[in-house]
Amino acid sequence: MIRTGSSLHRFYLYVVHHPLVSATLVFSALLLIGLLLQNLSGDFQWPSYAVMCLFYSAMFYVGSRSGKKRETLSDEKEVEEMILAGRSLPLGLALFTMTATWVGGGFINGTAESVAVHGLAWAQAPWGYALSLMFGGIFLAKKMRSYNFSTLLDPISDRFGDKMTALLYIPALLGEVFWTGAVLTALGTTFGSILGIDFNLAIILSALIAITYTAIGGMRAVANTDVLQLGILIVGLWLTIPFLLPEGMGLAALYGSYKGEMGPMANLFPPLDGWKDPNWGDSYFLWWDSALLLIFGGIPWHVYFQRVLSSQNGNVARWLSIGAGVLCIVAAMPAMIIGMIEATTDWNAMGLEGPEVSAVVLPYVLQNLAPAVIAIIGLGALASAVMSSADSSILSASSLGAWNVYRPFFAKKSQAGIPKVIKRLIWIVGIAATLIALQVQSVYELWFLCSDFVYCILFPQLILALFDKKTNTVGSLAGFLVALFLRLGGGETVLGIPTFLPYPMIDADGVVNFPFRTTAMLGSMLTIMIVSRLTASYSPPRPLVVRDVQK
């Protein structure tokens, strides 16, 4: 239970018992900050900023009032309530929170950026992650829920032990932190453009609100705020489209103009024999490597399984995943259209230079082509997308750390301290993601990197832990090392890591078109299977364990 006596505890009780008062104080504080910003920036936009203040205050109200339910719970039930909302989410609420989590700021801003800069063919993430959700729902969701696991890493803990699980927490943590950094960057660029305030300040304010109500309300707060956020997101973005389209131009005409601008890259997919096409060449293999990364690399995320495991039963877990995949496509379409509008607009004829950096494509279009009121609506939609993903990722990484690292090594006898650890980790993870967001250059690159590590390292570990009864700890460790070596051997420009393995298909710019990510994933999977069987007498395989649900 929540420990009493401290001033922090008294503040916590006041917030959860008086959420309306607390939200009003947040609104007032944001308005005071606005008065200060007005004096510091001549471009400050009060109407847009006031809408942002109302939105953030509403999110804080909905999130903080969710913490009241945990006050009278036992230690075990409090932990379950905080990380899994008591395993009680119905299909409707679970569907909304799953969709809102995936359709984040990186998803929306990154899609618009990729369509505008690289072409529709390279905007793979929307349909890639949609397929990921569907595949996860069909093959994994019901099985995970039937064992009553608490986290993504529980089956890995059963098969490979606590030490190996703690090691595999590292790529899971990095993925969530990179993801959160990407969505916070999306919000910072949007607010900086439309509100006329500093990017860094927008990122810090957004992160502070999300971290605070997540620490107070846990998974239930995240799920409840997601309902409001997803509604604002989908309605808000679609409302902007008629005002952004050139006068008299429909969607078909827009795509025709876009295809004339982008050529073959305006197609959604490359030709089947793309390696023979001079427009594709070796990059055809890179396209497929990236596509497989997004489809299967989108599965081993705790931010996904946290919703699966929070659902009422296995059938709800399966259908919420499939339904969320469909809604992801619906939510991505406005961002694709906005990317096409940016690519086909003659900014010079308007006396403008176009976006300074690719990360600001969507807010730049809203700011310069939409009426002020419509731009504010788009701002609210973007803010909704960011908050819904940032809070989910922060809670996800914190839950994994507390449950699969702290609990098995430091709290085997009692779960009394786990809620406090989760809250501390929420702040640590949130601050780390904020620091990354303050440094990032491209939303899409960072967002893409999120799935990279989990695809190469975590995906084979999770699949074999669930479906191969003969795998063991030694095989898991060998597979981890092989995946890490093969993946890093292909280099990573975002992290400044050069290519050091002689992969084929390296172009003049040093880009490896050979599908080395898929090679790393398959190499890891085969290594785990082979080494496990060779070392079975030394390290006997262990079974998965069905958990008892707390009553």
Side-chain angles (χ1 to χ4, degrees):
M1 296 175 65
I2 299 173
R3 302 306 173 198
T4 60
S6 66
S7 57
L8 185 61
H9 173 257
R10 289 193 294 271
F11 171 74
Y12 167 81
L13 287 181
Y14 184 84
V15 170
V16 298
H17 280 290
H18 305 86
L20 184 58
V21 175
S22 302
T24 303
L25 291 175
V26 169
F27 180 71
S28 301
L30 290 173
L31 288 180
L32 289 175
I33 294 173
L35 291 174
L36 176 62
L37 292 174
Q38 185 180 26
N39 295 324
L40 296 176
S41 174
D43 299 326
F44 185 72
Q45 302 293 323
W46 258 116
S48 301
Y49 185 79
V51 171
M52 186 205 77
C53 294
L54 283 172
F55 171 77
Y56 277 5
S57 301
M59 292 304 105
F60 189 84
Y61 170 77
V62 174
S64 60
R65 70 192 299 268
S66 303
K68 188 174 181 180
K69 184 178 177 65
R70 301 204 315 269
E71 290 182 64
T72 58
L73 299 178
S74 64
D75 294 333
E76 291 77 10
K77 286 297 293 182
E78 186 187 357
V79 173
E80 188 175 86
E81 174 66 26
M82 189 165 193
I83 67 176
L84 295 174
R87 301 184 191 270
S88 62
L89 296 187
L91 178 59
L93 180 57
L95 177 61
F96 272 102
T97 185
M98 180 70 85
T99 306
T101 296
W102 282 104
V103 183
F107 186 100
I108 297 300
N109 260 19
T111 297
E113 174 188 345
S114 186
V115 170
V117 177
H118 305 294
L120 188 61
W122 288 100
Q124 300 168 294
W127 59 262
Y129 277 139
L131 288 176
S132 175
L133 286 167
M134 294 178 184
F135 286 166
I138 294 170
F139 298 108
L140 299 176
K142 193 169 185 178
K143 185 178 182 70
M144 288 286 288
R145 184 64 181 85
S146 67
Y147 277 88
N148 294 323
F149 292 134
S150 294
T151 71
L152 155 74
L153 295 178
D154 276 358
I156 292 174
S157 177
D158 285 355
R159 291 282 192 210
F160 308 138
D162 293 334
K163 293 181 180 179
M164 193 63 215
T165 303
L167 180 62
L168 290 172
Y169 171 65
I170 296 174
L173 172 65
L174 291 177
E176 300 287 6
V177 171
F178 286 155
W179 175 281
T180 308
V183 296
L184 287 174
T185 300
L187 189 66
T189 55
T190 304
F191 279 6
S193 298
I194 297 179
L195 298 184
I197 65 176
D198 182 68
F199 289 6
N200 296 338
L201 179 61
I203 290 172
I204 293 170
L205 286 176
S206 307
L208 183 61
I209 298 294
I211 292 169
T212 302
Y213 76 66
T214 303
I216 292 172
M219 179 61 193
R220 196 171 295 276
V222 172
N224 290 337
T225 54
D226 279 348
V227 175
L228 179 59
Q229 289 160 351
L230 183 63
I232 295 173
L233 166 65
I234 293 180
V235 174
L237 279 182
W238 275 108
L239 278 177
T240 65
I241 298 302
F243 297 92
L244 295 174
L245 286 170
E247 186 175 355
M249 179 178 285
L251 293 179
L254 173 66
Y255 180 70
S257 176
Y258 177 74
K259 194 163 186 177
E261 187 74 26
M262 287 292 183
M265 295 301 125
N267 297 320
L268 190 58
F269 304 108
L272 292 178
D273 58 348
W275 69 90
K276 299 178 182 178
D277 190 325
N279 293 300
W280 284 90
D282 288 344
S283 64
Y284 173 79
F285 300 100
L286 177 62
W287 188 94
W288 275 107
D289 193 29
S290 301
L292 292 173
L293 182 156
L294 290 167
I295 295 170
F296 297 109
I299 292 176
W301 289 79
H302 185 51
V303 75
Y304 164 67
F305 282 108
Q306 195 159 28
R307 279 134 192 83
V308 166
L309 300 172
S310 297
S311 60
Q312 291 177 335
N313 54 57
N315 287 328
V316 171
R318 171 171 289 175
W319 285 108
L320 76 90
S321 301
I322 296 172
V326 176
L327 287 179
C328 279
I329 296 296
V330 174
M333 291 175 68
M336 293 181 178
I337 295 171
I338 291 173
M340 293 180 190
I341 291 172
E342 194 284 329
T344 55
T345 298
D346 187 351
W347 298 108
N348 291 328
M350 298 175 63
L352 299 171
E353 296 181 358
E356 293 183 4
V357 293
S358 60
V360 300
V361 163
L362 194 147
Y364 190 87
V365 171
L366 286 175
Q367 182 184 24
N368 291 285
L369 298 183
V373 174
I374 301 303
I376 293 174
I377 293 174
L379 168 69
L382 258 296
S384 297
V386 170
M387 297 292 276
S388 65
S389 290
D391 56 12
S392 300
S393 294
I394 291 169
L395 178 63
S396 172
S398 305
S399 301
L400 281 177
W403 186 258
N404 292 111
V405 180
Y406 174 80
R407 180 184 59 88
F409 293 105
F410 305 105
K412 284 187 176 181
K413 295 182 179 180
S414 172
Q415 296 185 16
I418 294 180
K420 185 184 295 185
V421 172
I422 293 175
K423 291 177 183 178
R424 290 175 178 173
L425 285 174
I426 285 172
W427 283 97
I428 293 171
V429 171
I431 291 172
T434 303
L435 293 175
I436 289 176
L438 297 175
Q439 302 296 325
V440 72
Q441 296 297 317
S442 171
V443 174
Y444 196 84
E445 287 182 358
L446 186 57
W447 183 42
F448 194 86
L449 184 62
C450 296
S451 284
D452 200 323
F453 285 99
V454 294
Y455 173 59
C456 298
I457 297 174
L458 276 181
F459 179 70
Q461 301 276 350
L462 176 64
I463 294 300
L464 293 178
L466 284 173
F467 297 106
D468 188 349
K469 298 178 180 179
K470 295 184 179 181
T471 52
N472 63 17
T473 305
V474 178
S476 173
L477 178 60
F480 172 84
L481 295 175
V482 167
L484 189 65
F485 179 73
L486 293 177
R487 171 59 192 89
L488 294 181
E492 181 50 64
T493 55
V494 177
L495 301 178
I497 300 174
T499 302
F500 60 81
L501 288 179
Y503 286 118
M505 304 180 191
I506 300 178
D507 63 20
D509 297 324
V511 176
V512 182
N513 291 306
F514 179 78
F516 67 95
R517 297 175 182 87
T518 300
T519 300
M521 184 275 291
L522 292 175
S524 174
M525 187 172 286
L526 289 173
T527 299
I528 295 171
M529 295 172 67
I530 294 171
V531 173
S532 292
R533 284 156 174 78
L534 293 175
T535 60
S537 58
Y538 171 75
S539 177
R542 296 189 280 190
L544 298 178
V545 179
V546 179
R547 270 67 170 170
D548 294 326
V549 177
Q550 295 293 327
K551 302 296 183 182

